[in-house]
Amino acid sequence: MKERRHPINEVKLVLPSHSANESFARSAAAVFLTQINPTVTELSDIKCAVSEAVTNCIVHGYTDTIGLIYINMRLYENREFRIEIKDKGIGIPDVTEAMQPLFTTDKENERSGMGFTIMENFMDTLKVTSVKGSGTRVIMTKKLAPLPRVIK
Protein backbone atom coordinates (compact mmCIF):
# COMPACT_ATOMS: atom_id res chain seq x y z
CA MET A 1 0.00 0.00 0.00
CA LYS A 2 1.35 3.43 -0.95
CA GLU A 3 2.14 5.69 1.97
CA ARG A 4 0.21 8.98 1.98
CA ARG A 5 2.47 11.94 2.49
CA HIS A 6 1.33 15.28 3.75
CA PRO A 7 2.89 18.48 2.51
CA ILE A 8 4.65 20.79 4.95
CA ASN A 9 3.31 23.74 2.96
CA GLU A 10 1.00 24.28 0.02
CA VAL A 11 -0.27 27.15 -2.08
CA LYS A 12 -2.98 27.27 -4.71
CA LEU A 13 -3.32 29.90 -7.41
CA VAL A 14 -5.96 30.50 -10.05
CA LEU A 15 -4.91 32.83 -12.84
CA PRO A 16 -6.53 34.00 -16.06
CA SER A 17 -4.61 32.84 -19.12
CA HIS A 18 -3.14 36.26 -19.94
CA SER A 19 0.44 36.06 -21.21
CA ALA A 20 1.58 38.42 -18.41
CA ASN A 21 0.63 35.75 -15.87
CA GLU A 22 3.32 33.38 -17.16
CA SER A 23 5.99 35.49 -15.46
CA PHE A 24 3.80 35.84 -12.36
CA ALA A 25 3.45 32.04 -12.06
CA ARG A 26 7.21 31.59 -12.48
CA SER A 27 7.90 34.23 -9.82
CA ALA A 28 5.30 32.79 -7.44
CA ALA A 29 6.98 29.38 -7.65
CA ALA A 30 10.36 30.96 -6.92
CA VAL A 31 9.05 32.86 -3.90
CA PHE A 32 7.28 29.76 -2.56
CA LEU A 33 10.52 27.77 -2.85
CA THR A 34 12.66 30.29 -0.95
CA GLN A 35 11.43 28.85 2.35
CA ILE A 36 13.57 25.73 1.78
CA ASN A 37 16.63 27.58 0.47
CA PRO A 38 17.05 26.11 -3.04
CA THR A 39 20.23 26.53 -5.02
CA VAL A 40 20.27 29.07 -7.84
CA THR A 41 20.36 26.20 -10.35
CA GLU A 42 17.39 24.43 -8.75
CA LEU A 43 15.42 27.67 -8.72
CA SER A 44 16.28 28.38 -12.35
CA ASP A 45 15.29 24.86 -13.47
CA ILE A 46 11.93 25.00 -11.70
CA LYS A 47 11.13 28.51 -12.94
CA CYS A 48 11.85 27.42 -16.51
CA ALA A 49 9.65 24.31 -16.25
CA VAL A 50 6.79 26.30 -14.68
CA SER A 51 7.10 28.91 -17.41
CA GLU A 52 6.81 26.26 -20.13
CA ALA A 53 3.77 24.59 -18.53
CA VAL A 54 1.89 27.86 -18.02
CA THR A 55 2.78 29.06 -21.52
CA ASN A 56 1.34 25.81 -22.92
CA CYS A 57 -1.95 26.54 -21.13
CA ILE A 58 -2.04 30.08 -22.53
CA VAL A 59 -0.98 29.29 -26.10
CA HIS A 60 -2.43 25.82 -26.67
CA GLY A 61 -5.10 25.25 -24.00
CA TYR A 62 -7.00 28.45 -24.60
CA THR A 63 -6.05 29.30 -28.18
CA ASP A 64 -8.36 32.25 -28.90
CA THR A 65 -9.98 32.82 -25.55
CA ILE A 66 -9.14 33.57 -21.93
CA GLY A 67 -9.63 30.73 -19.47
CA LEU A 68 -8.35 29.83 -16.03
CA ILE A 69 -5.06 28.20 -15.11
CA TYR A 70 -4.99 26.26 -11.83
CA ILE A 71 -1.66 25.92 -10.03
CA ASN A 72 -1.08 23.85 -6.90
CA MET A 73 2.41 23.87 -5.35
CA ARG A 74 3.46 21.62 -2.49
CA LEU A 75 6.58 21.15 -0.42
CA TYR A 76 7.36 17.94 1.43
CA GLU A 77 9.70 17.28 4.37
CA ASN A 78 12.26 15.54 2.17
CA ARG A 79 12.79 18.81 0.20
CA GLU A 80 10.60 17.62 -2.62
CA PHE A 81 8.71 20.22 -4.64
CA ARG A 82 5.56 19.19 -6.52
CA ILE A 83 3.60 21.43 -8.83
CA GLU A 84 0.38 20.71 -10.68
CA ILE A 85 -0.63 23.06 -13.48
CA LYS A 86 -3.92 22.48 -15.25
CA ASP A 87 -6.36 24.14 -17.57
CA LYS A 88 -9.87 23.39 -18.76
CA GLY A 89 -9.04 24.20 -22.36
CA ILE A 90 -9.17 22.24 -25.59
CA GLY A 91 -7.04 19.32 -24.39
CA ILE A 92 -4.42 17.35 -26.26
CA PRO A 93 -5.68 14.67 -28.66
CA ASP A 94 -2.47 12.57 -28.42
CA VAL A 95 -0.25 13.26 -25.39
CA THR A 96 2.46 10.82 -26.55
CA GLU A 97 2.78 12.64 -29.87
CA ALA A 98 2.66 16.08 -28.20
CA MET A 99 5.55 15.12 -25.91
CA GLN A 100 7.87 14.36 -28.82
CA PRO A 101 10.65 16.96 -29.24
CA LEU A 102 9.85 19.53 -31.95
CA PHE A 103 6.16 18.56 -32.18
CA THR A 104 3.97 21.65 -32.39
CA THR A 105 0.44 22.44 -33.51
CA ASP A 106 1.31 26.13 -33.85
CA LYS A 107 3.92 26.27 -36.63
CA GLU A 108 2.67 29.59 -38.02
CA ASN A 109 3.69 31.40 -34.82
CA GLU A 110 7.12 29.77 -34.88
CA ARG A 111 6.62 27.60 -31.80
CA SER A 112 9.58 25.26 -31.28
CA GLY A 113 7.69 22.26 -29.89
CA MET A 114 10.15 21.89 -27.02
CA GLY A 115 7.92 22.74 -24.03
CA PHE A 116 7.44 19.21 -22.68
CA THR A 117 11.06 18.33 -23.45
CA ILE A 118 12.25 21.31 -21.40
CA MET A 119 9.94 20.38 -18.51
CA GLU A 120 11.20 16.81 -18.62
CA ASN A 121 14.85 17.88 -18.60
CA PHE A 122 14.58 20.38 -15.75
CA MET A 123 12.38 18.37 -13.41
CA ASP A 124 12.76 14.88 -11.90
CA THR A 125 9.33 13.68 -12.99
CA LEU A 126 6.74 14.86 -15.49
CA LYS A 127 3.26 13.44 -15.90
CA VAL A 128 0.86 14.80 -18.50
CA THR A 129 -2.79 13.82 -18.75
CA SER A 130 -5.34 15.35 -21.07
CA VAL A 131 -8.87 14.88 -22.31
CA LYS A 132 -9.79 16.44 -25.63
CA GLY A 133 -12.31 19.19 -24.96
CA SER A 134 -11.79 19.12 -21.17
CA GLY A 135 -8.24 20.28 -20.56
CA THR A 136 -4.75 19.21 -19.62
CA ARG A 137 -2.97 18.52 -16.33
CA VAL A 138 0.80 18.60 -15.87
CA ILE A 139 2.36 17.33 -12.65
CA MET A 140 6.07 17.88 -12.08
CA THR A 141 8.31 17.09 -9.13
CA LYS A 142 11.85 17.99 -8.21
CA LYS A 143 13.85 16.74 -5.24
CA LEU A 144 16.10 19.52 -4.01
CA ALA A 145 19.60 18.75 -2.77
CA PRO A 146 20.09 18.42 0.99
CA LEU A 147 21.15 21.58 2.75
CA PRO A 148 24.88 21.71 3.45
CA ARG A 149 25.86 20.81 6.99
CA VAL A 150 27.19 23.63 9.08
CA ILE A 151 30.32 22.67 11.01
CA LYS A 152 30.83 24.57 14.26
Side-chain angles (χ1 to χ4, degrees):
M1 180 180 225
K2 189 172 181 176
E3 178 185 332
R4 259 206 131 118
R5 299 178 307 149
H6 297 284
I8 58 171
N9 203 357
E10 177 176 22
V11 67
K12 295 179 181 187
L13 302 170
V14 179
L15 309 169
S17 61
H18 296 292
S19 60
N21 283 333
E22 175 272 326
S23 62
F24 177 78
R26 182 179 62 229
S27 298
V31 170
F32 182 67
L33 280 162
T34 59
Q35 64 193 290
I36 60 168
N37 198 21
T39 66
V40 171
T41 301
E42 291 167 335
L43 204 52
S44 179
D45 289 353
I46 291 168
K47 285 170 55 179
C48 188
V50 169
S51 179
E52 291 295 332
V54 172
T55 297
N56 277 356
C57 295
I58 294 166
V59 172
H60 302 292
Y62 300 112
T63 48
D64 294 320
T65 186
I66 299 297
L68 296 176
I69 300 170
Y70 303 86
I71 301 172
N72 184 3
M73 295 181 272
R74 291 180 177 177
L75 290 174
Y76 294 92
E77 277 187 30
N78 63 353
R79 295 180 50 80
E80 181 180 311
F81 173 70
R82 178 187 184 274
I83 185 165
E84 177 182 335
I85 300 170
K86 67 180 181 176
D87 65 57
K88 294 184 179 180
I90 64 171
I92 302 170
D94 185 341
V95 171
T96 302
E97 180 182 38
M99 291 183 73
Q100 296 302 309
L102 304 177
F103 177 83
T104 184
T105 57
D106 193 13
K107 292 180 175 122
E108 68 186 47
N109 288 316
E110 299 181 19
R111 294 284 168 195
S112 69
M114 294 299 290
F116 288 129
T117 302
I118 290 168
M119 289 178 235
E120 221 167 19
N121 283 305
F122 286 134
M123 301 297 279
D124 294 331
T125 67
L126 169 67
K127 181 179 180 184
V128 180
T129 55
S130 190
V131 175
K132 190 172 179 185
S134 296
T136 301
R137 180 171 79 166
V138 172
I139 300 172
M140 300 179 285
T141 62
K142 187 161 187 88
K143 177 87 184 262
L144 280 64
L147 290 173
R149 288 182 43 195
V150 176
I151 301 172
K152 294 183 182 185

